[in-house]
Amino acid sequence: MHEATLRDRVAELLAPSERSNVPPFMVMDVMSAAERIEAAGGHVIHMEVGQPAAPAPRAAIAAARAALDFGRIDYTSALGIPSLRERIARHYLDTYGCAVDPGRIVVTTGSSGGFILAFLAMFEPGDRVAVTVPGYPPYRHILTALGCEPVLIETSGETRHALTGDTLLAVHRKSPLKGVLVGSPANPTGTMMSREALTHLMEAAQSAGIRFISDEIYHGLDYAFPAVTAVELSQHALAINSFSKYFCMTGWRIGWMVVPEPLVRPIERLQQNLAISVPTLSQIAAEAAFDGREEMEAIKRGYVENRRILIEGLPKAGLTRFLPADGAFYLYADVSHFTADSFEFAKRMLEQAHVAATPGVDFDPVHGRNFIRFSYARSADDMREAVARIARWLG
Ligand SMILES: Cc1ncc(COP(=O)(O)O)c(C=O)c1O
């Protein structure tokens, strides 16, 4: 065979699918650049990554150790270890005063694993699913990879970046939506939806037959007012949560969903086929994590202090415009009075001030070039040092 033809054939054979062509996560590029500075002896304050600096609760680690000593780590049932599902159900009663049937709890491989199961169970290829921008990029990238169409709806500071029912219905009237996904507290804005805002949005979605998904991964990290779970407001909504943030268990890859009853069996079948079950050691640790609440509340008090340092310090340093930091551990700052390219701004801030933050373009392809996201999940000393460095750099 002609060499060029053979090359073409091989290229065709190995060509990745169109749906796998999802954009990378830019925060990873910032992390790599920070690592290069550190390898050369620099000291970087890390505010780019959305993960707690603290380890998992001591009780979780002890339970995992004991399980390893005990011996076998077997598969579990696809929906999760029954005692963990019961413990999660109890968490809804303790935290929100809301009774949930443990039969509706599905344990997942992080909330990331939950998105895949939820989207597969709720949507067909081609379905239009609304997500807000600025927003967590994998929402739209996972939908795309599964053949659905993410419909980006812009939110603004006027509604605390909450999607309103009116806006949702206006988009739906133009071209029907099958679903909508919102998160509160939100990444990257750190803003939260009030009970009233969430209720109105869910009622609007239900009235139009739009399926509702609530990303509740930052629940527990609410400062402005208590976060409201969609589980309490409707039996038809699907709520996704995780042990990654409040419980500081990012690398354990463990989360859960509360799913409408008719979706339990389809999701069970999907999980059986896609993953068999969620890592057993992480499930055992997660169940014990609920005994570590005191420890986690102390960590939360640290975030409250970090938030105060930034809210008071950043304006003095020159960053005067940011959204209300209601929850999670993010502060989304408008830097448009310094630059029209926040990627370049973040790069210079990293290189010259050794403070790493994430450019907004990751979260918002349209207006993200005006914003950067600071994560305040590390120590108070780091926050004070970051403010001082930014003040010197901008000053
Ligand atoms: C809003 C939001 N949802 C979901 C996730 C995924 O987290 P995990 O898969 O660790 O539960 C993240 C991670 O940063 C996030 O910010």
Side-chain angles (χ1 to χ4, degrees):
M1 194 182 292
H2 200 277
E3 202 184 318
T5 320
L6 190 64
R7 253 202 322 269
D8 287 349
R9 284 261 173 93
V10 170
E12 197 181 311
L13 203 65
L14 301 181
S17 69
E18 194 50 45
R19 63 159 104 181
S20 68
N21 188 17
V22 294
F25 209 180
M26 251 181 230
V27 64
M28 299 301 178
D29 292 344
V30 179
M31 278 166 72
S32 311
E35 274 164 22
R36 283 195 294 277
I37 292 173
E38 281 169 331
H43 171 222
V44 174
I45 307 285
H46 287 276
M47 301 179 80
E48 78 281 32
V49 194
Q51 80 172 333
R58 279 192 295 275
I61 295 169
R65 263 208 193 103
L68 280 177
D69 286 344
F70 181 72
R72 290 175 59 98
I73 298 293
D74 292 329
Y75 292 136
T76 71
S77 71
L79 293 174
I81 296 175
S83 57
L84 171 59
R85 296 170 69 203
E86 276 160 27
R87 186 64 193 82
I88 292 170
R90 180 142 65 85
H91 165 71
Y92 281 86
L93 202 55
D94 295 347
T95 309
Y96 309 100
C98 151
V100 178
D101 175 0
R104 289 177 56 208
I105 310 280
V106 180
V107 179
T108 59
T109 311
S111 64
S112 305
F115 294 130
I116 298 170
L117 293 169
F119 296 163
L120 283 170
M122 293 170 94
F123 308 125
E124 303 293 350
D127 278 350
R128 287 162 43 84
V129 181
V131 293
T132 53
V133 278
Y136 180 59
Y139 296 152
R140 48 184 200 272
H141 301 162
I142 298 172
L143 284 165
T144 306
L146 295 179
C148 301
E149 185 191 336
V151 178
L152 310 191
I153 305 184
E154 271 184 47
T155 56
S156 74
E158 276 155 43
T159 61
R160 257 192 151 80
H161 281 271
L163 174 61
T164 65
D166 288 347
T167 308
L168 181 76
L169 294 179
V171 172
H172 181 64
R173 273 192 296 274
K174 278 195 197 137
S175 183
L177 294 165
K178 185 70 173 285
V180 59
L181 187 168
V182 294
S184 167
N187 178 7
T189 57
T191 51
M192 284 172 58
M193 293 180 81
S194 65
R195 173 180 289 271
E196 196 188 18
L198 184 62
T199 306
H200 283 163
L201 179 65
M202 290 178 69
E203 282 171 1
Q206 189 156 335
S207 71
I210 301 169
R211 296 168 178 214
F212 197 87
I213 303 178
S214 175
D215 180 357
E216 303 185 350
I217 184 170
Y218 291 103
H219 274 219
L221 303 178
D222 41 3
Y223 318 112
F225 46 87
V228 180
T229 175
V231 174
E232 188 189 328
L233 302 177
S234 167
Q235 301 262 330
H236 309 298
L238 186 147
I240 302 189
N241 209 320
S242 174
F243 289 89
S244 288
K245 309 292 174 166
Y246 177 78
F247 289 104
C248 303
M249 294 177 70
T250 48
W252 295 76
R253 309 308 304 125
I254 177 110
W256 76 87
M257 300 193 288
V258 183
V259 312
E261 204 279 321
L263 294 183
V264 173
R265 182 62 183 150
I267 288 177
E268 181 177 27
R269 290 194 307 257
L270 283 165
Q271 180 107 288
Q272 286 168 346
N273 282 279
L274 291 175
I276 301 185
S277 60
V278 169
T280 307
L281 198 59
S282 299
Q283 293 193 59
I284 293 167
E287 188 174 337
F290 286 105
D291 297 333
R293 287 205 78 113
E294 234 172 78
E295 227 176 300
M296 298 299 109
E297 284 299 308
I299 290 164
K300 179 178 176 177
R301 286 195 290 279
Y303 300 148
V304 171
E305 173 62 0
N306 291 351
R307 172 180 180 262
R308 189 193 62 77
I309 294 168
L310 293 186
I311 288 177
E312 287 176 18
L314 285 180
K316 291 182 198 148
L319 296 178
T320 48
R321 307 179 197 165
F322 41 82
L323 303 181
D326 293 337
F329 33 56
Y330 302 118
L331 193 140
Y332 202 50
D334 182 339
V335 291
S336 59
H337 48 311
F338 292 108
T339 181
D341 179 356
S342 62
F343 185 71
E344 192 269 341
F345 184 88
K347 198 161 150 262
R348 268 193 301 122
M349 189 169 74
L350 174 59
E351 282 163 1
Q352 295 166 6
H354 290 187
V355 175
T358 308
V361 272
D362 248 355
F363 311 102
D364 181 349
V366 185
H367 302 295
R369 60 183 156 47
N370 294 328
F371 288 88
I372 55 173
R373 186 197 73 176
F374 292 99
S375 166
Y376 56 87
R378 294 173 83 98
S379 71
D381 282 347
D382 270 4
M383 298 304 113
R384 279 187 279 268
E385 176 64 19
V387 167
R389 287 185 188 188
I390 293 169
R392 277 198 301 274
W393 180 61
L394 289 175

